[in-house]
Amino acid sequence: MAHRIEHKPAENRFEIHVDDALAGYADYTVIGGVRDFDHTVTDPAFRGQGLAGKLVAAALDASRADGISIATSCSYVEKFVEQNPEYKDLLAA
């Protein structure tokens, strides 16, 4: 299965697609220049394939490339950052 990740800034969302199906998304809110990831969802049909981790990693990499700090209101993103300390520098003070 081929997957692609898209950033949809007008919707404040990163999406992961498997073939042509939307498999999951990570929503965020921008507050004071901080991208607060507040909701991550994986469609039940695509769970257990590591797609959420790929999606969040891509979203955090894009945030770094954009020079934007993050907040982790979403428990999945919070746990991901804890388990992947290379992203801790993105956390807003």
Side-chain angles (χ1 to χ4, degrees):
M1 283 191 266
H3 73 274
R4 75 181 186 286
I5 296 170
E6 297 178 7
H7 183 198
K8 302 220 169 175
E11 299 171 32
N12 289 352
R13 168 184 279 204
F14 286 86
E15 297 180 345
I16 189 164
H17 298 261
V18 174
D19 297 324
D20 290 326
L22 176 63
Y25 58 87
D27 287 338
Y28 63 87
T29 305
V30 178
I31 302 170
V34 173
R35 194 175 275 167
D36 183 6
F37 287 92
D38 48 27
H39 194 62
T40 304
V41 174
T42 303
D43 184 289
F46 295 99
R47 290 186 183 153
Q49 301 176 38
L51 296 174
K54 291 177 183 178
L55 172 63
V56 170
L60 297 182
D61 289 341
S63 297
R64 177 176 280 128
D66 293 340
I68 298 174
S69 296
I70 66 156
T72 58
S73 293
C74 170
S75 61
Y76 182 86
V77 177
E78 180 179 28
K79 182 178 175 183
F80 184 89
V81 171
E82 286 176 14
Q83 294 177 343
N84 297 276
E86 65 271 22
Y87 292 109
K88 287 187 177 184
D89 65 304
L90 292 174
L91 293 170

